[in-house]
Amino acid sequence: MSGKTPLEFVRLFFDQGVVNHIRDQTKIYALQKDAKEFGVSSAEVECFLGILSFTGIVKMPSYRSYWSNETRYPVIADAMSRDRFEQIKKYLYFNDNLTQKPRGDPGHDKIHKVRPLIEMIRDNFMKIPPEEHQAVDEQIVPTKQRISLKQYNPKKPHKWGYKFISRAGESGFVYDFEMYTGKGSVDVSDLGVGADFVLRLARGIPKHKNYKLFFDNWFSSLDLAQTLSDQGILTLATVRANRLKGCALESDSKLKARGRGSYDWRVETQSNAIVVKWYDNKPVHLISTYAALDPEDTCRRWDGERKEYADVKRPYCVKEYNRFIGGVDLADMLLELYRIDFKSRSKWYMRIFFFLFYLSVVNGWLLYRRCLAAGQKPMSLLQFKTDVARALLSGASLATPKRGRPLSDADTNSQKKRNYTCRPPDSTRLDGQGHFPAWIESKQRCRVCVQADAKVKCVKCEVSLCFTPNRNCFLTYHTM
């Protein structure tokens, strides 16, 4: 893969099949919604994605600002007209409404509108060989929609949003994910909702090959550790005390009396799992089927009483957990850097679409870094995303079909792109300072009388104006 371009890395996940599916479903939705045929090509869908990418890099108050005279952004405005962008945005769709089962039906799917998109992209993610250490954690896709799918998590930067449970490697590469839609989202076992998500996401991990899985106490239990151990997957997780089936460990007061860094432990002989209770600022319970106490080391912790850092002893399992649990959080951080933040009042699923597309870009960048030759300097995520966006916008040359006789290749090649000049604000046009005429070689349309060709322009306003014995549009433009 060393010779691939950034767009080729992204297309490993958001491939042509996904783009063609979006194109086809968009056409179907236009017929269902307004009973009219809506012609859109795969190139236009890719151009739409390129515009979305740039909106995550160059932020503006609203998407119309990219086409506005005062704040025009040529990279976007020259690639696609605003009206065409709004048309595609209006009809953009991902699944046929006629195939959705009604509420109350056993087969009803709450996320039917984006289900094919989720499955196609997830299948592409799982084609990449996994890393040895992987973590399962929650991801929040922020939204303000009033919808039952929205969840609350006070520990995340965006507390309200759609919840995804993801499995990511140490690098932040997301290999698998599942959207949380309430109880019964994933029905794998009778161990509880959190354990069901872990078992579902663990299906893509090779068994009995020394792969290690990390997760926090929302998911974990002693039964889950035993089940994963039987499947050949090593685990290390924090666990809540009430899920240890009465495992007797030293009390909090005794550990606190022994000081920070003290711990107690027990081994469950049936599954060879160790339970460790480590006291830092407060007690923490961990359960592991591969990492135990040795080798011990020390970590730096802030001492609130002495107002200084102190060395605190910790078991090996604590060190391993802190090192590898942050894969999903790293993915969240990368997603937040240039997040697509379009607002859609009626289409709640658009935020999920933006999340899946940008997750494909971030995964493409992480895979690109993995495939670099030794000593080669990698491009930044910003450079990578910019290259992807420009490559997607290059499809805009396949312009929207227009009415009338189609142009021949010779006509198309002979056409020259007209340079766009922003209209100056009235405060500049009428300020009476620095407006001097300058001669131009080629005739251009006069900004005032429109029908006449002018050979004079204002050096400050950059507009062409008539300046002849019979007509003084130059004076009219700067005074009225």
Side-chain angles (χ1 to χ4, degrees):
M1 294 187 183
S2 58
K4 287 185 177 293
T5 64
L7 181 60
E8 287 174 326
F9 276 103
V10 175
R11 277 182 172 160
L12 292 173
F13 312 121
F14 208 95
D15 57 16
Q16 197 62 40
V18 177
V19 173
N20 292 341
H21 174 82
I22 296 173
R23 177 202 63 197
D24 296 340
Q25 292 302 321
T26 300
K27 292 179 179 180
I28 293 172
Y29 180 67
L31 285 172
Q32 293 174 347
K33 181 178 174 64
D34 293 332
K36 70 175 184 179
E37 185 176 353
F38 179 63
V40 61
S41 65
S42 297
E44 286 183 299
V45 173
E46 289 191 343
C47 182
F48 183 86
L49 295 173
I51 292 174
L52 291 180
S53 297
F54 269 117
T55 62
I57 298 171
V58 182
K59 304 286 186 179
M60 287 196 183
S62 68
Y63 73 88
R64 289 192 166 213
S65 300
Y66 296 98
W67 287 271
S68 172
N69 287 331
E70 291 75 17
T71 58
R72 189 175 190 272
Y73 188 57
V75 176
I76 290 177
D78 292 342
M80 179 181 286
S81 70
R82 186 197 66 190
D83 291 345
R84 186 60 178 173
F85 179 85
E86 289 181 339
Q87 281 183 325
I88 296 176
K89 181 173 176 286
K90 176 182 178 181
Y91 294 120
L92 194 70
Y93 223 67
F94 314 107
N95 204 0
D96 189 354
N97 285 328
L98 298 179
T99 61
Q100 184 172 12
K101 295 184 178 180
R103 292 184 181 181
D105 190 288
H108 176 71
D109 187 4
K110 290 183 179 180
I111 55 172
H112 172 269
K113 294 182 184 295
V114 289
R115 176 64 70 183
L117 211 60
I118 289 176
E119 292 181 352
M120 286 189 289
I121 294 174
R122 180 173 59 200
D123 291 344
N124 289 336
F125 286 170
M126 294 181 67
K127 294 176 183 178
I128 303 302
E131 301 167 54
E132 178 184 350
H133 302 89
Q134 299 175 54
V136 172
D137 205 350
E138 302 171 7
Q139 288 185 286
I140 297 293
V141 179
T143 182
K144 293 182 179 179
Q145 291 280 355
R146 296 182 178 180
I147 186 171
S148 62
L149 290 171
K150 187 167 64 173
Q151 300 291 320
Y152 177 72
N153 189 332
K155 296 182 180 180
K156 295 293 183 179
H158 299 285
K159 295 178 173 56
W160 287 99
Y162 306 120
K163 181 191 290 188
F164 282 80
I165 311 299
S166 304
R167 172 170 60 86
E170 181 185 2
S171 66
F173 190 102
V174 176
Y175 294 95
D176 199 358
F177 58 87
E178 191 71 52
M179 186 172 175
Y180 180 84
T181 58
K183 291 185 178 180
S185 304
V186 178
D187 193 6
V188 179
S189 68
D190 57 355
L191 301 180
V193 177
D196 282 349
F197 273 104
V198 174
L199 293 173
R200 154 64 190 85
L201 295 175
R203 289 178 180 175
I205 300 177
K207 308 300 189 291
H208 303 284
K209 292 188 177 181
N210 207 35
Y211 283 88
K212 304 169 181 67
L213 191 62
F214 302 78
F215 41 91
D216 62 26
N217 59 20
W218 189 79
F219 305 94
S220 65
S221 65
L222 183 58
D223 291 335
L224 177 60
Q226 292 174 343
T227 303
L228 290 172
S229 179
D230 294 340
Q231 294 179 3
I233 298 174
L234 304 176
T235 59
L236 174 54
T238 55
V239 62
R240 298 174 184 178
N242 60 0
R243 297 183 183 178
L244 294 176
K245 294 188 174 182
C247 178
L249 296 164
E250 281 193 29
S251 65
D252 297 352
S253 57
K254 289 184 178 180
L255 289 176
K256 185 176 181 180
R258 287 166 53 186
R260 293 179 69 178
S262 59
Y263 59 86
D264 190 22
W265 57 276
R266 297 289 186 275
V267 174
E268 203 282 321
T269 55
Q270 183 177 353
S271 60
N272 198 31
I274 185 171
V275 176
V276 178
K277 183 178 182 180
W278 179 61
Y279 192 88
D280 187 15
N281 288 322
K282 59 181 181 179
V284 180
H285 295 80
L286 297 100
I287 184 169
S288 175
T289 56
Y290 86 94
L293 308 175
D294 297 324
E296 288 183 359
D297 72 337
T298 58
C299 58
R300 301 274 292 173
R301 288 289 190 272
W302 178 254
D303 190 329
E305 294 181 357
R306 299 180 181 179
K307 306 297 181 183
E308 62 182 7
Y309 284 98
D311 290 333
V312 177
K313 182 176 65 174
R314 66 177 175 182
Y316 176 68
C317 58
V318 176
K319 177 184 177 181
E320 283 283 284
Y321 180 82
N322 289 338
R323 180 179 178 185
F324 297 113
I325 190 58
V328 177
D329 291 335
L330 178 57
D332 271 339
M333 184 273 290
L334 295 173
L335 288 168
E336 189 63 27
L337 289 177
Y338 311 107
R339 182 166 57 87
I340 301 169
D341 195 21
F342 262 29
K343 296 178 177 64
S344 180
R345 294 181 179 179
S346 57
K347 295 184 177 182
W348 59 267
Y349 47 86
M350 291 298 288
R351 283 299 179 98
I352 299 175
F353 165 62
F354 299 154
F355 166 75
L356 294 174
F357 171 63
Y358 191 29
L359 184 59
S360 301
V361 175
V362 171
N363 270 2
W365 178 67
L366 293 170
L367 183 61
Y368 150 77
R369 287 169 58 92
R370 189 191 300 187
C371 298
L372 278 179
Q376 187 176 354
K377 184 178 178 181
M379 69 174 69
S380 66
L381 177 58
L382 176 60
Q383 291 175 308
F384 185 90
K385 187 176 181 182
T386 304
D387 281 2
V388 170
R390 285 191 175 276
L392 289 171
L393 289 182
S394 64
S397 57
L398 307 173
T400 308
K402 295 181 174 59
R403 294 181 180 180
R405 180 179 62 86
L407 296 173
S408 64
D409 292 340
D411 293 335
T412 304
N413 294 332
S414 64
Q415 284 187 337
K416 293 183 180 180
K417 195 172 185 179
R418 182 171 63 89
N419 292 328
Y420 182 91
T421 39
C422 294
R423 184 179 64 185
D426 290 343
S427 58
T428 302
R429 178 172 65 91
L430 302 173
D431 63 4
Q433 297 180 3
H435 298 281
F436 300 106
W439 187 260
I440 53 178
E441 294 295 333
S442 58
K443 293 181 180 180
Q444 296 181 9
R445 191 71 55 85
C446 175
R447 181 61 62 91
V448 175
C449 58
V450 180
Q451 297 179 355
D453 292 329
K455 299 204 70 174
V456 171
K457 75 170 183 178
C458 174
V459 296
K460 183 175 182 178
C461 300
E462 291 287 334
V463 295
S464 301
L465 299 161
C466 293
F467 190 30
T468 66
N470 300 325
R471 223 174 16 253
N472 192 351
C473 293
F474 191 94
L475 178 61
T476 304
Y477 182 77
H478 292 105
T479 56
M480 297 180 64

